[in-house]
Amino acid sequence: AQSVTQPDIHITVSEGASLELRCNYSYGATPYLFWYVQSPGQGLQLLLKYFSGDTLVQGIKGFEAEFKRSQSSFNLRKPSVHWSDAAEYFCAAYSGTYKYIFGTGTRLKVLA
Amino acid sequence: EAQVTQNPRYLITVTGKKLTVTCSQNMNHEYMSWYRQDPGLGLRQIYYSMNVEVTDKGDVPEGYKVSRKEKRNFPLILESPSPNQTSLYFCASSQQGNYGYTFGSGTRLTVV
């Protein structure tokens, strides 16, 4: 079955430290992949997306993600985390059949 | 401003009392979708619409109805709400399914 897995429910990092959030997908073919961020009390905002081509994609707010076909992964990274990055992050996949599958989310806490 | 507008933001209702959550987008998007978000379960798709008068079930459609009479509007109808429909609901739209969503701010529904 198609699935998106985010292994980490919670992650805590210190402000200024680097960040990597993990996402693994299970699909028959390479899906379109997305990362969204949800700040408290808000809807989800699209950070970045991967369709094809360059496996390192840049997004908004200084985030980037790398697609690795061999590992079926699409991990989100940021070199230096800011306190305002504290939020919940969702990985999602779109298979081309008008359906998205979302991961269960990773909640990021940033220590001052 | 390009946006998806949901109303109401908060709603407390009683079991069995019909309700409608409205969703409107001003981006001329063809694709619209409803999700519910529950702790530990991430986002689950309820219904989606590929265009006017074209809708289909998502993963958790039971107890919900939708309609798409106009391109901009995609209301979610709960004919007889039950406590297990207490959740955070999001409407989202996209130009095409693989472009990534624009989300509304959410509707927190409590059924007592």
Side-chain angles (χ1 to χ4, degrees), chain B residues 70-107:
Chain B
E70 306 167 281
K71 197 171 188 178
R72 64 183 292 124
N73 295 324
F74 190 45
L76 179 69
I77 303 158
L78 285 72
E79 295 267 358
S80 182
S82 63
N84 65 12
Q85 293 179 296
T86 292
S87 186
L88 179 59
Y89 291 86
F90 287 103
C91 180
S93 73
S94 173
Q95 179 56 36
Q96 295 181 30
N98 59 353
Y99 276 38
Y101 280 126
T102 299
F103 278 86
S105 298
T107 296

Side-chain angles (χ1 to χ4, degrees), chain B residues 8-66:
Chain B
R9 288 292 307 274
Y10 302 91
L11 179 60
I12 301 174
T13 190
V14 297
T15 299
K17 185 177 181 181
K18 181 179 179 179
L19 66 92
T20 299
V21 183
T22 64
C23 174
S24 181
Q25 51 95 0
N26 62 0
M27 296 164 283
N28 202 36
H29 285 171
E30 293 182 348
Y31 183 62
M32 298 186 73
S33 187
W34 276 102
Y35 287 86
R36 60 178 290 173
Q37 183 179 21
D38 301 289
L41 298 178
L43 279 84
R44 294 178 293 167
Q45 191 176 43
I46 303 171
Y47 270 94
Y48 62 95
S49 170
M50 294 79 81
N51 215 323
V52 176
E53 302 290 3
V54 184
T55 63
D56 205 351
K57 297 176 180 178
D59 298 313
V60 289
E62 294 77 20
Y64 305 95
K65 287 176 58 178
V66 293

Side-chain angles (χ1 to χ4, degrees), chain A residues 15-99:
Chain A
E15 191 169 19
S18 64
L19 172 69
E20 183 168 25
L21 301 182
R22 297 184 291 165
C23 173
N24 294 96
Y25 66 90
S26 174
Y27 270 79
T30 301
Y32 300 102
L33 296 164
F34 306 84
W35 274 100
Y36 291 86
V37 59
Q38 184 181 26
S39 298
Q42 301 296 317
L44 283 73
Q45 180 183 20
L46 181 65
L47 282 176
L48 49 78
K49 55 192 174 188
Y50 172 77
F51 290 167
S52 64
D54 193 348
T55 57
L56 185 63
V57 294
Q58 303 296 321
I60 62 172
K61 305 185 179 189
F63 285 92
E64 64 179 28
E66 185 172 13
F67 171 68
K68 292 186 177 179
R69 184 189 307 274
S70 61
Q71 299 177 18
S72 296
S73 69
F74 187 57
N75 293 349
L76 182 71
R77 302 194 295 243
K78 188 170 185 177
S80 178
V81 171
H82 187 263
W83 63 266
S84 60
D85 293 324
E88 190 158 20
Y89 292 81
F90 290 91
C91 182
Y94 175 77
S95 64
T97 56
Y98 295 100
K99 289 191 175 183

